[in-house]
Amino acid sequence: MKKISFLMLSIALSGSLSAQTIKTVAGGNYTAGYSGDGGSATSAHLCGPRRAVTDAAGNMYIADFCNNRIRKVTPAGIISTVAGTGAAGRTGDGAAATSAAVGSPQGLAVDASGNIYIAQYDGYVRKINSAGIISTIGGTLSSSGSYADGAPATDSYFSGAADIAVDAAGVVYVVSQSDQRVIKITTSGQAYTVAGNRTAGYSGDGGQATNAKLNQPAGIALDNSGNLYIVEEQGCVVRKVNSAGIISTIAGTGSYGFASDGVAATISKLYYPTGVAVDATGAVYIANTQDNKIVKIDHAGMMHFVAGIGSCGYTGDGGNSLMASVEKPHGVSFDIHGNLIIAASANQSIRAVSYVSSAGVAQPAGERVTPTMGPNPFNSMITVSGASRGDKLSLFDLSGKKVFQSAEVTEDNVQSFRVDNQLIPGIYLALLTDKNGTKVLSQQVARE
């Protein structure tokens, strides 16, 4: 099926449509560079930001990849540099992080004590303590470096350290991308493989993750139950490793392509994804990098579009996130307020989605379950599963004009809506509202 392509326009929809709003919180001038310390983060220059994470106080840290620096944005929106001189490499251990060389920082994590962990793509894992002192906790380029489990992490190889996560106990997890595995560093400093057998490929579902093949793992995340999520960039899948070490596939088919909305995540393609995050409810969010979109896997295993219209460019601030251009998103995370944070690498910016749909979250007894909508793309019919009496379906075009309005639903559960056949092929925003006019579901849909 052909992907519909045409001029994508930015819109700012009001009322219930503006709830899922996107804005720029750092960078945003679409020009790579290094500037702005001491001023507003939205006036600063970034260079290929890969990840952004937030600490318990609301400070945001950015892996400013091409600048070889870590930037900090305060809750008041002021930016500064907290690590890196701009030089590549690894120097400065035992001293202030601002005097150290931090080469190609790609992954970031922050623990509950405010320690910052950095995955340097040049093969090192660094830690900045709460006093601002930097140290190396993993990685070596020595010819005597080890791949063996139980070896000191500082004597172990972390080839292409692409992302990093830390659990509540202080155990650090690192993607060793070129080595096709994920490694953990214990609190006592030993390295152990937790996923991947160092052979590129796709295998192992249903067995121990350490026996599985991974294909260019790029991003990781942990949930509150200790499950590990791995995005495979070349494999175009998302894998899950449970607390018993068993691996499975939760999204992607293994073939690259454009993601689908409203279908089971395991039958939707992904397009070289690079980042993953898990929200407080356990829903999984993926930076589908080459598709220029953020997608979500809900609790039922269904995929939904969250941000990005699928086009290159930099548009949409102040409007609905589904209608924004978010070019080459790499990292995704959540801040302390539950906002979705996106490192839009090609936009040279950090974007925030102020509201993320809770589709798939179990509802309290007596309340409705959030419905799902499909197919996508559609031809003349849109079907909503989980509709309730009094619901209405509306479609808006890219200018924000309402182009379709259904009658009220008269029966609960599955409802099909016939859309005007004169509606031209293109991208639309579908909005389902209840009898009180409150938004129940909104998502981007395509007319064939």
Side-chain angles (χ1 to χ4, degrees):
M1 183 176 295
K2 292 184 179 179
K3 181 178 176 65
I4 298 169
S5 61
F6 54 90
L7 179 62
M8 303 298 184
L9 302 176
S10 170
I11 63 173
L13 299 175
S14 60
S16 60
L17 285 179
S18 64
Q20 192 166 298
T21 304
I22 193 168
K23 65 178 180 179
T24 297
V25 294
N29 40 39
Y30 215 179
T31 303
Y34 173 68
S35 71
D37 280 359
S40 172
T42 52
S43 298
H45 283 82
L46 305 174
C47 188
R50 293 295 197 268
R51 300 288 189 275
V53 296
T54 309
D55 67 16
N59 298 298
M60 180 183 297
Y61 301 90
I62 303 167
D64 202 357
F65 181 77
C66 304
N67 282 325
N68 297 309
R69 291 177 169 95
I70 306 300
R71 314 290 288 277
K72 174 184 175 180
V73 180
T74 68
I78 304 303
I79 194 169
S80 61
T81 296
V82 296
T85 62
R90 178 187 68 95
T91 65
D93 281 355
T98 49
S99 300
V102 180
S104 305
Q106 183 143 313
L108 278 181
V110 183
D111 67 18
S113 300
N115 300 302
I116 303 168
Y117 299 85
I118 308 167
Q120 294 185 200
Y121 200 71
D122 60 4
Y124 295 104
V125 184
R126 315 290 290 280
K127 176 182 176 180
I128 304 171
N129 67 18
S130 56
I133 304 302
I134 195 168
S135 60
T136 298
I137 64 170
T140 179
L141 295 184
S142 167
S143 60
S144 61
S146 177
Y147 294 104
D149 279 353
T154 49
D155 292 337
S156 301
Y157 281 118
F158 291 81
S159 183
D163 203 8
I164 194 166
V166 59
D167 68 17
V171 177
V172 176
Y173 295 78
V174 185
V175 173
S176 185
Q177 186 175 54
S178 302
D179 200 21
Q180 317 296 342
R181 60 180 179 150
V182 178
I183 305 165
K184 74 176 181 182
I185 302 174
T186 67
T187 54
S188 56
Q190 280 77 45
Y192 293 88
T193 299
V194 295
N197 63 8
R198 295 184 56 209
T199 303
Y202 175 68
S203 71
D205 277 1
Q208 286 293 319
T210 50
N211 296 326
K213 292 180 180 179
L214 306 178
N215 197 349
Q216 292 290 297
I220 53 173
L222 295 163
D223 68 15
N224 293 330
S225 300
N227 299 303
L228 174 69
Y229 299 85
I230 307 168
V231 167
E232 298 181 34
E233 185 174 5
Q234 292 296 318
C236 296
V237 292
V238 179
R239 315 286 287 276
K240 175 182 177 180
V241 181
N242 68 18
S243 57
I246 304 301
I247 195 169
S248 60
T249 300
I250 64 168
T253 65
S255 298
Y256 73 88
F258 300 109
S260 300
D261 189 279
V263 304
T266 50
I267 65 172
S268 173
K269 293 182 177 181
L270 295 172
Y271 208 154
Y272 302 138
T274 57
V276 62
V278 186
D279 71 13
T281 74
V284 179
Y285 295 74
I286 306 161
N288 200 27
T289 306
Q290 296 300 320
D291 198 8
N292 300 304
K293 287 182 180 178
I294 308 300
V295 299
K296 169 187 175 180
I297 306 171
D298 69 18
H299 293 185
M302 302 295 286
M303 183 171 286
H304 305 278
F305 295 161
V306 172
I309 201 166
S311 63
C312 293
Y314 177 46
T315 65
D317 271 4
N320 191 282
S321 61
L322 291 169
M323 294 302 196
S325 292
V326 181
E327 189 172 351
K328 302 299 182 287
H330 271 257
V332 284
S333 66
F334 289 91
D335 68 11
I336 60 173
H337 304 294
N339 299 314
L340 177 68
I341 306 300
I342 305 167
S345 181
N347 288 162
Q348 317 299 341
S349 69
I350 307 299
R351 316 283 291 274
V353 179
S354 61
Y355 169 82
V356 178
S357 172
S358 58
V361 179
Q363 303 294 318
E367 295 188 16
R368 66 182 296 164
V369 174
T370 304
T372 58
M373 187 184 301
N376 196 9
F378 70 94
N379 188 347
S380 60
M381 302 289 289
I382 295 178
T383 298
V384 176
S385 177
S388 295
R389 290 180 179 88
D391 287 354
K392 291 182 180 180
L393 179 70
S394 305
L395 294 180
F396 297 80
D397 67 16
L398 291 179
S399 71
K401 178 183 177 182
K402 184 185 291 186
V403 294
F404 172 79
Q405 172 71 70
S406 76
E408 288 189 359
V409 170
T410 58
E411 298 289 339
D412 289 341
N413 204 4
V414 178
Q415 292 290 322
S416 293
F417 301 91
R418 181 172 294 281
V419 178
D420 188 343
N421 286 329
Q422 294 182 356
L423 200 65
I424 65 172
I427 304 295
Y428 297 88
L429 189 70
L431 173 68
L432 188 72
T433 54
D434 65 15
K435 61 184 179 181
N436 299 315
T438 302
K439 185 185 80 169
V440 177
L441 177 67
S442 67
Q443 70 181 50
Q444 184 187 116
V445 295
R447 171 70 186 271
E448 292 182 311

